[in-house]
Amino acid sequence: MNIPSDDPGLAGSLHETGRREPIAWVEQLNKAIGILVEVPAALLVLAEVIVLLMGVTSRYVLHQPLGWSDELASILFLWLAMLGSIVAFQRGEHMRMTAIVGKLQPRSRAFLDLIAIAAAIAFLAFVVHPAYEFAQDEVYVTTPAMGIVNSWRAAALPIGLGLMLIVGVLQIFRIGRLKDAFLALAIVAVVVGGLALVGPLLKSLGNWNLLLFFVVGVGALVLLGVPIAFSFGLATFGYIALTTTTPTVVVVGRMDEGMSHLILLAVPLFVLLGLLIEMTGIARAMVNFLANLLGHVKGGLSYVLIGAMYLVSGISGSKAADMAAVAPALFPEMRKRGAKPGDLVALLSATGAQTETIPPSLVLITIGSATGVSIAALFTGGLLPGVVVGVTLGALVWWRYRGEDLSGVRKASAREIGKSLLVAIPALALPVIIRAAVVEGVATATEVSTIGIVYAVVAGLLIYRQFDWKRVYPMLVSTAALSGSILFIIGAATGMAWALTQSGFSTALADAMKALPGGAVTFMAVSVVAFIILGSVLEGIPAIVLLGPLLFPIARQVGIHEVHYAMVVTLAMGIGLFAPPFGVGYYAACAISRIHPNEGMKPIVGYMVALFVGVVIVAAVPWISTGFVK
């Protein structure tokens, strides 16, 4: 999930320092690569929708399954992931933590942004050749249904990483002063060279290298603003290359494994669906109905915000998209009623955390992919925990707004409520259809997204009459970019998780966690604290890919139902993601609301406490998560 912050971004912060005039040929080459990558990336998103829709139609309508549809979708998917990663890199949209870097002076921030690009360039330079070797090895493998050489799929890795390397070099010289760019590259080169020189010494340290590379190394890179995916990748490559005898091609192999799960194809498709429901007016129809229904009660629009986020959440794949679909429709009226800006952004952030378990959540899909837990069970179990946490937020809203003056607010008539309900019925039906189709086994989590896309397009064209054809291509490109940034993180995190497992760390962690006094209660409490911290630093998806395969088996061993555990850790990560000062979700809410982060710091404390109380209730009562799981 790519979440923007109030940080101006690489180009913006460097511009503040008075960067030199652009070099014409560099700009032209950068633009040409952008077109070269964006057009096929957009077409691949469209192709995936068509291929999967054909598979669903053939299987469930014509009762004649297409044996090649999933295989073709898988081949195209890796190309989409790599091309999307390139687009995200060119746009500066790979996930990174800017809470610390963003507080520095413009000049210092700009230079650290160059360091971040230089670090990414170093990783890409290291893995391009191993990726080529990996693709060469795949020539001996043929796909079962289509019978084509698997190198056609694997070639996406060296080509994608090579183009990303070129983009990185162009970016560092496009947006930075020449001397600063060379200095940043030199600093990274010196660090890499120094580590290479002490390589023999590192091998003698044994498992202390885990602390050096995966705690100190990853921590330093993330805090310096290096995109999370490249931080994971550099640490993993350095650990394997300098401290083990394992071939570095394994890093690429594990990245391929992480990005190639067909279930993850739901990521770009749900991202596209989220953009469609915003463009077609589906989200606004939901919000208008809820506003008419509850707008006349004290704190009513705050309840509407909680309810609207519950309905919309999870469909887009991006919390930023969820918030952007709901906030603009509500905030102007809430401001008129006297709501303070800080309280608005605080509640918006809290609802983002509240709805992390609402299906079809990409975090839940990732949990299913990484741990083998049933996606249908996770989708069933995720509905009620979101309600419980919503109730705790609603209780705080009632307390804060119990003295609200509503003398100037007109209560909507029954006719107005009924009319807005009729308008909203097609919109309200969409999340119900999506969740029911998965839970009832009509379609997989991947396939059902295509049904939602078709439904949204038809509703936009025929019912709401809001469909801007000019926005379709930018939406497809944005879908590819956001999906690429998510999938690249999953690939890098998979490699890192493999390295940790091979080192014996997973066994040691399992033994330590099982040895904690108090059994399941202590294990759950430690997990909540750990995932709140991880959520603020790494966000949900990379944290799950890293620790899910390690911790879920332990949860089962101590007697915790895997769906129950999934709900608790997902909500805990949501708190970390939206809690300042590190949670990037909070800064996303500020950017969408156009409210300064400082204004929400005090009001959000109460909402975070309410969220934590909700998580404790969900953790203490397993039935909330498992009561409806078959």
Side-chain angles (χ1 to χ4, degrees), residues 319 323 349 352-353 356 573-580 583 585-586 604 608:
K319 284 300 168 190
M323 293 186 291
S349 298
E356 284 282 58
M573 286 188 298
I575 294 177
L577 178 61
F578 285 90
Y586 173 73
I604 202 172
M608 288 296 114

Side-chain angles (χ1 to χ4, degrees), residues 232-276:
F232 285 0
L234 277 170
T236 304
F237 189 92
Y239 173 78
I240 288 178
L242 298 176
T243 71
T244 73
T245 58
T246 304
T248 54
V249 70
V250 169
V251 177
V252 179
R254 298 288 75 75
M255 288 181 65
D256 172 64
E257 178 187 339
M259 292 188 290
S260 295
H261 286 294
L262 192 60
I263 187 66
L264 293 176
L265 186 50
V267 172
L269 298 182
F270 277 121
V271 169
L272 177 59
L273 178 57
L275 295 174
L276 282 171

Side-chain angles (χ1 to χ4, degrees), residues 507-595:
T507 303
L509 176 65
D511 291 341
M513 295 288 276
K514 284 187 287 187
L516 290 172
V521 174
T522 303
F523 177 76
M524 186 70 88
V526 171
S527 296
V528 168
V529 174
F531 276 96
I532 288 176
I533 296 171
L534 286 169
S536 67
V537 178
L538 298 181
E539 303 188 34
I541 288 175
I544 281 296
V545 176
L546 272 178
L547 293 181
L550 304 180
L551 296 183
F552 272 74
I554 303 173
R556 285 192 290 268
Q557 290 178 27
V558 298
I560 300 174
H561 195 288
E562 54 196 7
V563 173
H564 179 213
Y565 188 65
M567 297 308 125
V568 173
V569 299
T570 300
L571 288 171
M573 286 188 298
I575 294 177
L577 178 61
F578 285 90
F582 297 115
V584 293
Y586 173 73
Y587 299 103
C590 292
I592 290 165
S593 310
R594 301 186 183 280
I595 295 171

Side-chain angles (χ1 to χ4, degrees), residues 339-356:
K340 296 179 181 179
D343 204 43
L344 292 179
V345 74
L347 180 58
L348 182 63
S349 298
T351 56
Q354 167 220 342
T355 54
E356 284 282 58

Side-chain angles (χ1 to χ4, degrees), residues 9 36 112 114 136 218 308 347 358 369 390 410 457 493 584 601 616 624:
L36 176 68
L112 285 180
L114 289 177
Q136 273 191 318
V218 171
L347 180 58
I358 307 303
S369 173
R410 184 181 70 85
V457 170
V584 293
M601 289 292 186
V616 171
I624 294 172

Side-chain angles (χ1 to χ4, degrees), residues 216-239:
V216 177
V218 171
L221 290 168
V222 169
L223 293 176
L224 286 172
V226 177
I228 294 172
F230 296 107
S231 299
F232 285 0
L234 277 170
T236 304
F237 189 92
Y239 173 78

